[in-house]
Amino acid sequence: MFRYLLCSFALVLLYPTGIDLYLVGLPQIALDLQASEAQLHIAFSVYLGGMATTMFFAGNLSDKIGRKPIVLMGAVIFALASALGGFADSANAFLATRFVQGIGAGACYVVAFAILRDVLDDARRAKVLSMINGITCVVPVLAPVAGHLIMLVYPWPTLFTVMSAMGVLVGLISLFGLKETRVAEANINDSTNHNSQETESLLQPFFVRRVIMASLAVGAILSYVNASPLMLMETLGFSRGGYSSVMACTALASMITSFSAPILLRYVSQARMLLCSQTLLLIAAILLMSVWSGVVDNRWMLLAFGLVCVGFASGFGIIMSQALSPFSERAGAASSVLGISQVCFSATYIWFMGVIGLSGIEMLLVAVLLAGAGGMLLSRRSSPCDQHNEKVSRAS
């Protein structure tokens, strides 16, 4: 079992590392490529676009040919694209390598969840996914620091060399440590397989509700990441160092919450944990509304930020686990739909809020309110297997 957890953690980490490690080098990259920093900032969207493009195909292919070939392909693509990124001599070439990086990271990311669905029961999966969320919170804190230390000695292409080496390492871990987890079609009776395909519909109401809940939650946390720099540095007057400190503290709060969730789930039901998560998001929305309307001081935003991070961290693993629970043979496809919906909703929401001219606090307020209130409404309808899952969760 340990090998599957190790491989899944490694596969998931490629995604945030590809986003956060190179950011510290943006000024030097812009100078060398004769591009503005604003031009290169769209590399974030390009990277997510690469992930969204490949997620659906990767998930479906993993259901047909197996998990291991897809993750190996994704790790190789990520490693090669990262290596080429260090040799980019123009902004367009740089953005192209970022898109291909996203393809590799997306393949690894989506199949990691399918692997966990294959090898873990519902109760354990919720706990492991909470831990994975905690680990991914470490990357936004450590990656910029690591990037800064690298650039004290080496030029910015070394950042992409490090990412390439990480892709190689993840590929080797998967090659030697990962055993195929997909159930072979030859071992499945044709009639059983046919019935399963009908039962495991991606349009079943329970799955659709969890997809919406997950998308709203990710939209809220990415809106926070996107809006917080201006809110902290312009509205509250924080320096770059102060901004970094706040982000580190909120990331620490997310990590503590994520690693505490598996322990809490031994004593508290998943339904109650979800309710707590959504309540925290609603309280954060009330605080943001109070700040926006001038009822309370702007500094209350800091508490709201902490509640957004804790609310997201306490519920996201449960939502993802429950979303995958109905699928045994189509876990890859289900993971793909979850990943695509989260990326596309978040990118579209942030873009639309910018188009209509909402401020950062307004964008974050709406996103957090949707995640809290929408999640609370959608989670009231439970799956037929939820009661059984709760008994298993308590027993484990």
Side-chain angles (χ1 to χ4, degrees):
M1 186 62 64
F2 175 76
R3 69 172 66 196
Y4 298 117
L5 299 183
L6 175 63
C7 290
S8 297
F9 289 164
L11 292 169
V12 168
L13 284 180
L14 281 185
Y15 154 52
T17 300
I19 290 176
D20 295 299
L21 184 61
Y22 84 103
L23 291 177
V24 70
L26 271 180
Q28 190 60 47
I29 295 173
L31 181 63
D32 288 355
L33 301 184
Q34 297 182 343
S36 67
E37 286 191 50
Q39 284 179 299
L40 294 184
H41 273 303
I42 67 171
F44 176 78
S45 298
V46 169
Y47 183 81
L48 292 181
M51 289 188 67
T53 299
T54 192
M55 276 180 174
F56 186 76
F57 300 103
N60 276 284
L61 279 175
S62 75
D63 286 335
K64 298 180 184 298
I65 67 175
R67 317 297 188 206
K68 190 169 183 175
I70 302 302
V71 299
L72 290 175
M73 179 187 69
V76 169
I77 291 174
F78 184 89
L80 291 176
S82 299
L84 291 174
F87 292 100
D89 57 3
S90 68
N92 288 337
F94 179 77
L95 294 177
T97 61
R98 290 292 292 162
F99 182 83
V100 181
Q101 263 189 308
I103 290 176
C108 293
Y109 181 80
V110 76
V111 177
F113 291 101
I115 292 171
L116 293 175
R117 172 61 183 83
D118 293 336
V119 301
L120 297 175
D121 59 38
D122 295 324
R124 291 179 180 176
R125 188 170 59 250
K127 297 173 183 177
V128 169
L129 287 176
S130 294
M131 292 179 64
I132 285 181
N133 186 59
I135 291 174
T136 57
C137 291
V138 178
V139 177
V141 178
L142 296 185
V145 175
H148 174 68
L149 294 176
I150 290 170
M151 290 198 66
L152 289 176
V153 182
Y154 303 102
W156 67 263
T158 308
L159 299 173
F160 287 85
T161 302
V162 172
M163 281 190 270
S164 180
M166 185 170 178
V168 171
L169 178 61
V170 170
L172 291 174
I173 291 174
S174 301
L175 179 63
F176 296 107
L178 180 64
K179 290 186 177 180
E180 183 56 57
T181 62
R182 183 185 67 97
V183 178
E185 292 183 8
N187 296 331
I188 303 174
N189 181 272
D190 289 339
S191 61
T192 302
N193 186 52
H194 175 71
N195 293 333
S196 176
Q197 291 294 324
E198 290 183 349
T199 303
E200 297 188 4
S201 170
L202 297 175
L203 297 178
Q204 57 181 282
F206 177 75
F207 177 66
V208 171
R209 288 194 295 271
R210 290 306 183 267
V211 168
I212 296 173
M213 289 171 63
S215 300
L216 292 175
V218 173
I221 200 67
L222 288 185
S223 294
Y224 159 69
V225 172
N226 185 73
S228 57
L230 291 179
M231 294 172 67
L232 288 170
M233 289 189 283
E234 292 191 1
T235 304
L236 292 179
F238 280 56
S239 64
R240 288 184 182 272
Y243 162 70
S244 299
S245 297
V246 171
M247 295 300 286
C249 289
T250 55
L252 179 61
S254 296
M255 285 190 300
I256 293 173
T257 303
S258 297
F259 288 123
S260 300
I263 300 174
L264 292 174
L265 284 170
R266 297 177 183 175
Y267 310 100
V268 181
S269 69
Q270 292 186 14
R272 289 182 179 178
M273 279 284 287
L274 270 182
L275 179 61
C276 178
S277 167
Q278 293 148 2
T279 301
L280 291 174
L281 291 173
L282 285 177
I283 295 173
I286 293 171
L287 282 174
L288 290 170
M289 186 176 294
S290 300
V291 171
W292 175 73
S293 60
V295 174
V296 299
D297 188 85
N298 286 341
R299 286 174 293 184
W300 283 93
M301 281 195 298
L302 298 176
L303 177 58
F305 290 167
L307 291 175
V308 169
C309 293
V310 172
F312 173 81
S314 59
F316 185 68
I318 297 172
I319 295 172
M320 290 291 287
S321 176
Q322 291 184 351
L324 293 171
S325 62
F327 303 96
S328 58
E329 296 171 29
R330 304 188 68 190
S335 298
S336 296
V337 172
L338 281 163
I340 293 170
S341 66
Q342 292 164 26
V343 170
C344 291
F345 172 78
S346 301
T348 303
Y349 174 80
I350 293 172
W351 170 80
F352 181 71
M353 292 297 106
V355 168
I356 64 177
L358 291 189
S359 65
I361 190 171
E362 291 169 337
M363 177 182 69
L364 180 58
L365 168 60
V366 174
V368 174
L369 186 61
L370 285 173
M376 194 171 288
L377 290 173
L378 290 167
S379 62
R380 295 185 66 181
R381 297 285 300 278
S382 61
S383 164
C385 63
D386 279 353
Q387 293 182 351
H388 170 70
N389 292 344
E390 294 299 343
K391 292 179 181 178
V392 175
S393 178
R394 290 175 180 275
S396 60

